[in-house]
Amino acid sequence: MAKGLIWATAEDLARNRGRVLSLYRQVLRNLNSPALPLNLAARLAKKAEARAAFLLASEERSLHNIEDLMDVAEYSLSLLRKGEIPKYIQ
């Protein structure tokens, strides 16, 4: 992302698109993990909550907030890989 700017430009958003889509897919994929103590209905509900979180975050235009949201997604992904459910989708 461009340094010193507050708002994301089209180039910033395009540059982050691949990373965000990758995080989104990984979160959804890891919600299917057998290590998570969830039944089918709970898994579908958690996936819907994750989709809603990413959809809401897609409207964000502040560079700092975008970086924070990606950090949260990476942290949540690390918890999912450990078999824990992150708070934002509990």
Side-chain angles (χ1 to χ4, degrees), residues 8-10 12-13 19 29 33 40 51 55 67 78 81:
T9 62
D12 293 328
L13 297 175
R19 184 175 169 207
R29 193 176 308 123
S33 171
L40 179 62
R51 283 186 194 104
L55 184 62
E67 287 179 18
S78 71
R81 287 181 177 147

Side-chain angles (χ1 to χ4, degrees), residues 62-79:
S62 166
L63 290 177
H64 301 292
N65 291 346
I66 291 170
E67 287 179 18
D68 288 343
L69 289 167
M70 284 193 280
D71 289 342
V72 167
E74 289 171 353
Y75 175 72
S76 297
L77 189 57
S78 71
L79 289 178

Side-chain angles (χ1 to χ4, degrees), residues 25-86:
R25 289 181 186 132
Q26 289 177 48
V27 166
L28 291 181
R29 193 176 308 123
N30 280 292
L31 281 170
N32 281 331
S33 171
L36 294 176
L38 300 172
N39 61 24
L40 179 62
R43 284 182 201 282
L44 293 175
K46 297 303 177 198
K47 285 182 179 182
E49 290 175 24
R51 283 186 194 104
F54 273 88
L55 184 62
L56 247 100
S58 70
E59 299 296 323
E60 186 58 54
R61 294 294 178 244
S62 166
L63 290 177
H64 301 292
N65 291 346
I66 291 170
E67 287 179 18
D68 288 343
L69 289 167
M70 284 193 280
D71 289 342
V72 167
E74 289 171 353
Y75 175 72
S76 297
L77 189 57
S78 71
L79 289 178
L80 285 170
R81 287 181 177 147
K82 292 177 188 175
E84 301 173 21
I85 302 172

